[in-house]
């Protein structure tokens, strides 16, 4: 599941106008460009990653409200960056 999420977040990161950082549940990180991130997302467990892949922005919000996803910075910027965009099929 992580390769799907990583691929999609890298695709979104290439299109994003702001820098951001993602930390996956296994501790690996992705940063779309240099500079301080406007927001960061930390998946605390695999269930949060799966939720994002399966339910898009609903999965992101559920993970956030359940404490399985930490968002640093402004969550509104994350949504404006189109973090909610539907993931493509593997």
């Amino acid at each position: 599941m992580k390769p799907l999420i990583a691929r999609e977040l890298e695709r979104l990161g290439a299109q994003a106008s702001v820098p951001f950082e993602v930390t996956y549940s296994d501790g690996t990180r992705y940063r779309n460009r240099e500079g301080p991130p406007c927001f960061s997302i930390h998946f605390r467990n695999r269930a949060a990653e799966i939720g994002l892949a399966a339910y898009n922005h609903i999965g992101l919000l559920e993970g956030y409200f359940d404490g399985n996803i930490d968002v640093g910075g402004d969550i509104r910027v994350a949504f404006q960056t189109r973090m909610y965009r539907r993931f493509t099929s593997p």
Side-chain angles (χ1 to χ4, degrees):
M1 187 61 63
K2 182 184 168 201
L4 168 66
I5 295 167
R7 183 182 73 231
E8 290 300 311
L9 290 176
E10 288 173 14
R11 182 181 61 79
L12 292 170
Q15 299 171 1
S17 61
V18 298
F20 66 85
E21 181 177 81
V22 175
T23 304
Y24 298 99
S25 61
D26 67 2
T28 59
R29 293 177 185 231
Y30 166 72
R31 186 176 277 199
N32 69 325
R33 63 177 43 97
E34 294 297 318
C38 291
F39 66 90
S40 61
I41 296 174
H42 179 203
F43 295 100
R44 297 177 70 67
N45 53 51
R46 295 272 297 142
E49 295 171 0
I50 292 168
L52 176 62
Y55 302 109
N56 300 299
H57 72 286
I58 300 298
L60 179 67
L61 288 171
E62 283 185 356
Y64 176 74
F65 292 135
D66 291 344
N68 295 321
I69 296 175
D70 293 327
V71 178
D74 192 342
I75 195 170
R76 293 174 298 176
V77 175
F79 282 102
Q80 291 168 350
T81 308
R82 300 186 60 126
M83 295 300 292
Y84 60 85
R85 189 176 197 157
R86 180 170 298 279
F87 283 5
T88 59
S89 299

